[in-house]
Amino acid sequence: MLFRSVDKAADYANELSNKLPRGSFVPVTRLLQMGQAANSNPQLRELQASITTLVNEYASATGGGGQGTDASRAHALEMLNSADSPETFGRVINVMKREVRISHEAGKRALEMLYHPDGQQGNSVSEAPPSAAKKVIRYDAQGNEVSQ
């Protein structure tokens, strides 16, 4: 399930953020803009990579059909960019995890309504109405129709 990979990516990014010395917290916007300059600090580089992974996992989980969209990536970055301390970073990550779970549950409910087994909320694929049954026409070896 996609939400599990988001949970793991989010927890890892939060763990890395919390490991930074308190005076070393860098807002996400600046961290991502630093690019190669972050290479000089392995902790920042690792956090930068984990944020990229988190953004991609979040986009895949909320973008529909397991495909990340530019809009969902932008939304994730916008939320993370609002974090100006390790504490708010952790809270933003919790919101992202919750959004993914809400999205997952909404998708599950939609499928349940569409394919509810009792047929009251929609027909199940395996329970097509009798009128949908197709007539099978059989032929013998000479190509003549065989009645049933």
Side-chain angles (χ1 to χ4, degrees):
M1 306 244 170
L2 288 173
F3 70 86
R4 289 190 183 120
S5 63
V6 172
D7 279 353
K8 288 180 180 187
D11 291 343
Y12 186 59
N14 197 33
E15 175 188 325
L16 293 175
S17 171
N18 287 330
K19 285 182 180 179
L20 287 175
R22 286 299 174 209
S24 298
F25 183 81
V26 178
V28 172
T29 308
R30 198 166 128 232
L31 177 65
L32 295 178
Q33 288 172 348
M34 289 171 73
Q36 294 299 323
N39 280 335
S40 63
N41 183 333
Q43 286 179 305
L44 289 178
R45 186 66 178 156
E46 190 175 23
L47 178 58
Q48 183 184 46
S50 73
I51 289 170
T52 300
T53 299
L54 171 59
V55 166
N56 289 331
E57 291 294 330
Y58 174 89
S60 293
T62 60
Q67 297 294 322
T69 64
D70 290 340
S72 52
R73 279 185 194 84
H75 177 64
L77 282 172
E78 181 182 337
M79 288 191 299
L80 289 168
N81 287 339
S82 70
D84 57 1
S85 71
E87 293 78 18
T88 55
F89 185 79
R91 288 177 183 239
V92 167
I93 282 181
N94 287 337
V95 169
M96 292 173 74
K97 288 166 63 172
R98 179 126 173 95
E99 281 185 2
V100 169
R101 289 196 184 280
I102 289 169
S103 177
H104 174 74
E105 289 300 318
K108 230 167 85 174
R109 279 194 303 278
L111 287 174
E112 287 170 1
M113 287 174 47
L114 185 62
Y115 297 113
H116 197 274
D118 66 8
Q120 292 180 5
Q121 296 178 8
N123 289 326
S124 170
V125 172
S126 63
E127 295 180 16
S131 61
K134 295 181 180 178
K135 180 181 176 186
V136 177
I137 301 172
R138 300 192 188 275
Y139 296 92
D140 63 17
Q142 289 74 34
N144 300 316
E145 189 175 324
V146 178
S147 57
Q148 296 183 354

